Amino acid sequence: MNDVKASQEPDGLTGTLAFRLGTVGTLVTARFAAAVEDLGVKPKHVGLLSVIGSGAPASQQDVARTMGVVPSLVVTLADQLEELGAIDRVRDPDDRRRHRLGLTQEGRALLAECTARARALDEELTAGLNTTERDALARAMGVLARGAGLP
């Protein structure tokens, strides 16, 4: 019984940044997934759209490395996004074995809509914070993301 009480105290497990970020991340991912579900995409699809939309020429292998996922997942996600008309694949002129992924006009519109829905979710999530706290949170999350090697 002592162990249960200790894990619920601020210096216990639930007071750790790792636990709190993980728990909040799970909840936010579920809410974001619900927010974009009617668009026919899931958060990983949106992540792929975002990487492709960043402007760098993106082979499927490069995207997999950037996203930190196995290449076969990128292929599956790209197949689904291609079916939606959101991306296209073009043979890499420097290496005919590779495909480069690009956003179509529909893909840019889809990414813009997903971004708008993410911003609306941001507003809901940070409604209890003042401007200074929101700015500090945004800066801290940026530092953590860069430290984790995220784009």
Side-chain angles (χ1 to χ4, degrees), residues 81-150:
L81 288 170
E82 193 171 35
E83 286 176 21
L84 289 174
I87 68 165
D88 54 16
R89 288 182 169 110
V90 179
R91 287 264 182 218
D92 185 334
D94 298 326
D95 183 348
R96 304 272 310 146
R97 294 168 296 174
R98 294 170 34 141
H99 285 95
R100 292 191 181 269
L101 304 175
L103 291 183
T104 62
Q105 184 175 357
E106 293 88 356
R108 285 187 288 281
L110 178 58
L111 180 56
E113 180 59 27
C114 291
T115 301
R117 292 181 186 199
R119 290 192 191 288
L121 184 54
D122 284 355
E123 289 298 317
E124 290 175 29
L125 294 169
T126 61
L129 302 177
N130 64 39
T131 302
T132 302
E133 291 167 330
R134 284 182 188 201
D135 291 346
L137 178 60
R139 280 192 309 278
M141 292 303 294
V143 169
L144 291 174
R146 282 188 300 280
L150 299 174

